Each structure stands twice: as structure tokens, then as C-alpha cells.
Amino acid sequence: MRETLVLNASFEPLATVTLRRAVVLVLQGKAVVEHAHPGLRIRATAVELPVPLVIRLCRYVRVPFRRQAPWSRRGVLVRDRNRCAYCGRRATTVDHLVPRSHGGADSWLNTVAACAEDNHRKADRTPEQAGMKLLSEPFVPTPADAMLLALGGGAAEAELPQWLSLSV
Ligand SMILES: [Zn+2]
């Protein structure tokens, strides 16, 4: 998939995102196209756009560039696309793998999104102790994820409008 460079409002490079994500940021009015692919257009329902190579955010966001994104509960839910790490259903809570009562940290690698049911079932135990399997391992978000979080986005790639799986 083609990648698009994202500049901060101050023109400082922030991250690269997928073309799909770049188009959505432009359509949402959160970014403007700085450089486009010569001659290529994107056609989607009632919209036509140049294929962006570089976009620039309309509003300055404070993002730790190439550093770790600061941990937050909302960030964990966004990272995990609101899917429970244990059963894959919709998650509304954040579970600490090593419970906080046992010294578990508020960190990207120690937390996963979880549905209230599984969070309650796991209780004050590690997944091993509770006999619960993780569907995927927690990870530290990339600079692009951090930027999208700072933008107040959060719609995961999979939740973007389908018409953007587009004709370039
Ligand atoms: Zn669950």
C-alpha cells in the first residue's frame, strides 16, 4: 500500500500513514494536501481528490516524534481497536496483564483492551493464573498511531468507510 508523509502544522515531518488514512484526514478537514502524485486522482462516492504524497495537519499536534507515545487508557482501546484481547468482542475496559495490585505498570506492554466480562473474570490474576489466552500480544504504538491519537481520531483502519478501498 502506498504511504503518505504527514507534516505537522509547523511543517515538521511526523509520520507516514496509509493512503486511505491520508485521504480520510483530508476529507475530515484535519489535513491539507501539500504534494500530490502528478496525474493520479482518487475517485470515491461524489469525491475526487489528487493522490496525496504529503499532507499537512491543519492544527499543530504535540507528538513525541520517534519516541514512545504516552500511555493512556483511551490509547490502549484505540491501539486494540476496541476489541477484547481475550475474546475479540467489543472492549470497553483496560486490563492490566500483571495486575496493578501486584505491581503491574500502566504501560503499553502490560495493558490490553478487554470486555467488562473478561476483565471481571480475570480479576486480580495474570492471564496464566486465570487460564486465559491472549488473542494477540500488546505492543507499543508507532509514531503514526501516536499522531492519530493526538488528533483525537481513533477510528481504526478497519473502521474506515469501505468506499475508500478505492480506485486509484
Ligand atoms: Zn472478552
Side-chain angles (χ1 to χ4, degrees), residues 84-90 114-119:
C84 174
Y86 299 106
C87 70
R89 283 180 303 166
R90 187 167 172 75
C115 67
E117 221 170 284
D118 281 330
N119 205 336

Side-chain angles (χ1 to χ4, degrees), residues 12 14 63-70 108 140-144 146-147:
E12 164 202 17
L14 278 179
V63 186
F65 181 50
R66 289 200 184 128
R67 271 182 282 128
Q68 195 166 316
W108 292 114
V140 177
T142 64
M147 180 198 71

Side-chain angles (χ1 to χ4, degrees), residues 41-55:
R41 310 281 297 179
I42 293 168
R43 255 174 289 275
T45 322
V47 195
E48 211 199 45
L49 270 186
V51 172
L53 294 173
V54 182
I55 59 172

Side-chain angles (χ1 to χ4, degrees), residues 78-100:
V78 170
R79 180 198 65 186
D80 294 350
R81 302 179 175 196
N82 290 98
R83 296 252 173 266
C84 174
Y86 299 106
C87 70
R89 283 180 303 166
R90 187 167 172 75
T92 52
T93 69
V94 169
D95 175 58
H96 287 69
L97 300 183
V98 176
R100 273 185 301 181

